[in-house]
Amino acid sequence: MANTETALKECLSSIDGATAVALVDYTSGMALGTLGGGKDFNLEVAAAGNTDVVRSKLRTMEHLGLKEEIEDILITLNTQYHLIRLLKGRGGSGLFLYLVLDGSRANLAMARHQLRRIEADLEV
């Protein structure tokens, strides 16, 4: 089992093209841990803003009567991928991993696969 810090470090070191990662509580909008980002990319602001994305999608699914669970939410920009993975296991309810990838270096399918593996090992 990996703690938050270890899991975030593993995201940046093992996922090609990863530039930033955060563990976020979407009920409060607070980042429980962050790694990466920089002066041109405020990861705290991005993490808090993406709570609105998650809440909106969950609300829409409820209005539509969809009984499925969200695995990932993908936002593609010109040069980046932003991947939101809602956590499901061991105390993960209300949390998501937010991963920023450099689009020119990332393999999206592999990033999703590795993020699932990291999620499975994460103990919150």
Side-chain angles (χ1 to χ4, degrees):
M1 295 295 147
N3 64 24
T4 300
E5 183 179 346
T6 303
L8 296 179
K9 285 180 181 176
E10 186 174 350
C11 284
L12 283 188
S13 66
S14 70
I15 299 176
D16 288 339
T19 61
V21 63
L23 177 64
V24 185
D25 178 341
Y26 64 80
T27 58
S28 69
M30 294 188 62
L32 305 177
T34 62
L35 198 58
K39 67 179 179 80
D40 294 332
F41 187 82
N42 186 325
L43 190 52
E44 295 278 340
V45 171
N50 278 299
T51 62
D52 293 334
V53 172
V54 171
R55 290 178 193 157
S56 178
K57 187 59 188 173
L58 289 170
R59 231 181 359 263
T60 301
M61 289 175 61
E62 183 179 335
H63 291 311
L64 292 171
L66 298 177
K67 303 296 182 203
E68 304 218 20
E69 292 184 348
I70 296 172
E71 288 186 17
D72 303 305
I73 298 171
L74 173 64
I75 300 166
T76 59
L77 304 177
N78 292 341
T79 62
Q80 297 176 343
Y81 299 126
H82 293 227
L83 188 58
I84 299 168
R85 174 133 189 112
L86 276 67
L87 302 186
K88 295 173 184 55
R90 295 180 300 280
S93 180
L95 302 177
F96 66 88
L97 282 167
Y98 171 57
L99 180 65
V100 180
L101 299 158
D102 177 336
S104 67
R105 297 184 306 137
N107 177 324
L108 192 53
M110 284 303 296
R112 290 184 69 225
H113 173 73
Q114 289 172 290
L115 202 55
R116 271 194 305 271
R117 184 184 48 76
I118 291 166
E119 173 198 3
D121 289 340
L122 178 63
E123 186 170 301
V124 184

